[in-house]
Amino acid sequence: MNMFEVTTLGQPLEVIKTQMAANRSQSMLQALQSVWARGGVVGFYQGLIPWAWIEASTKGGVLLFTASEIETATTSLGVNPAVSGLLGGMGGGIAQAYATMGFTTSMKTAEITRHKQAASGIKPPSTWALFAEIFRKEGLRGVNKGVNAVAVRQCTNWGSRIGLARLAESSIRKVRGKAEGQQLGALDKIVASSIGGALATWNQPIEVIRVEMQNMSKEAMASANRPAKLTIFNTFGYIYKQNGIKGLYRGVTPRIGLGIWQTVCMVSFADYVKVWVKGSAKK
């Protein structure tokens, strides 16, 4: 499910969101033009191969397994489905961040934000050469730069997405006159996931902080006001001083689209996959 999500609409929305979060003075149109200038349509898929595919092929399984186990356990104890979804999403988000997403998210952002045009006709290093260079200079800490911000983002992302989606599902059941736990139709589940995915973007500031911590653009690296060693808190202060409150919400529009698409894939569609797997196991 995660491979399907990222290969279709996920990566283009990710690239636009990251471009705007890293270059906070750009409008949506300017961000689109900048991405297009890096290779046309191909520019919107920067970082897809191998980093986004490596990430998607692992983090989706970690999220679904962890979130499902927590949801099942808490629901069996009589916990409200929305709260169970919140707890499951938080646990799944933290697990996938530390298990699989540190270095892949860092490398995707590096690919999107670093200076792509060759200087004086010199061919820029490949993505693997960039990875090797960062690892040689900074070790595991370098390639996992910003992983704590990723963990906070994923915890709040999936806690909000799954929790709000389950809350929306419960509301839709009441409107439809269905009992709690009764199966909803595909359209109803997509609507619920869309609500959860859109509202979960309240945490955009932590995403902008994460992007800045992993930003390898020439402008960011040359900034005299940028802290030498970035943490979540000093990065927040740096962005606020440079761009104000608006700077902390740059890229929120494409992220709403991304959040909706990810939640539809990893909540609505994944629920059907889980039902199918359980049915196949019984056979």
Side-chain angles (χ1 to χ4, degrees), residues 18-123:
T18 303
Q19 177 68 27
M20 293 182 70
N23 302 276
R24 291 178 291 277
S25 61
Q26 288 187 343
S27 65
M28 174 78 83
L29 179 59
Q30 289 171 327
L32 290 169
Q33 290 171 336
S34 295
V35 174
W36 183 265
R38 294 202 295 261
V41 174
V42 176
F44 290 91
Y45 286 89
Q46 279 182 321
L48 177 66
I49 303 172
W51 307 115
W53 275 4
I54 292 173
E55 181 181 282
S57 64
T58 52
K59 74 170 184 175
V62 172
L63 171 69
L64 289 183
F65 176 79
T66 309
S68 293
E69 289 298 307
I70 294 173
E71 274 197 274
T72 301
T74 51
T75 302
S76 67
L77 295 173
V79 177
N80 181 279
V83 178
S84 294
L86 173 68
L87 296 173
M90 290 173 68
I94 292 171
Q96 67 175 188
Y98 286 113
T100 70
M101 290 185 68
F103 76 96
T104 54
T105 304
S106 181
M107 291 308 300
K108 281 194 305 177
T109 304
E111 276 292 294
I112 295 166
T113 60
R114 71 190 179 106
H115 186 52
K116 301 291 290 186
Q117 295 177 338
S120 304
I122 300 172
K123 185 179 179 180

Side-chain angles (χ1 to χ4, degrees), residues 243-257:
N243 308 100
I245 289 292
K246 286 185 177 180
L248 292 163
Y249 285 89
R250 295 300 295 160
V252 71
T253 302
R255 188 159 179 253
I256 288 172

Side-chain angles (χ1 to χ4, degrees), residues 32 51 53 58 60 74 80 89 111 132 136 150 152 173 216 220 224 229 233 241 247 252 255 263 267 283:
L32 290 169
W51 307 115
W53 275 4
T58 52
T74 51
N80 181 279
E111 276 292 294
R136 179 174 55 81
V150 173
V152 174
R173 284 191 184 94
M216 290 187 66
K229 290 187 177 181
F233 293 107
K241 287 178 183 177
V252 71
R255 188 159 179 253
T263 311
V267 178
K283 293 178 182 178

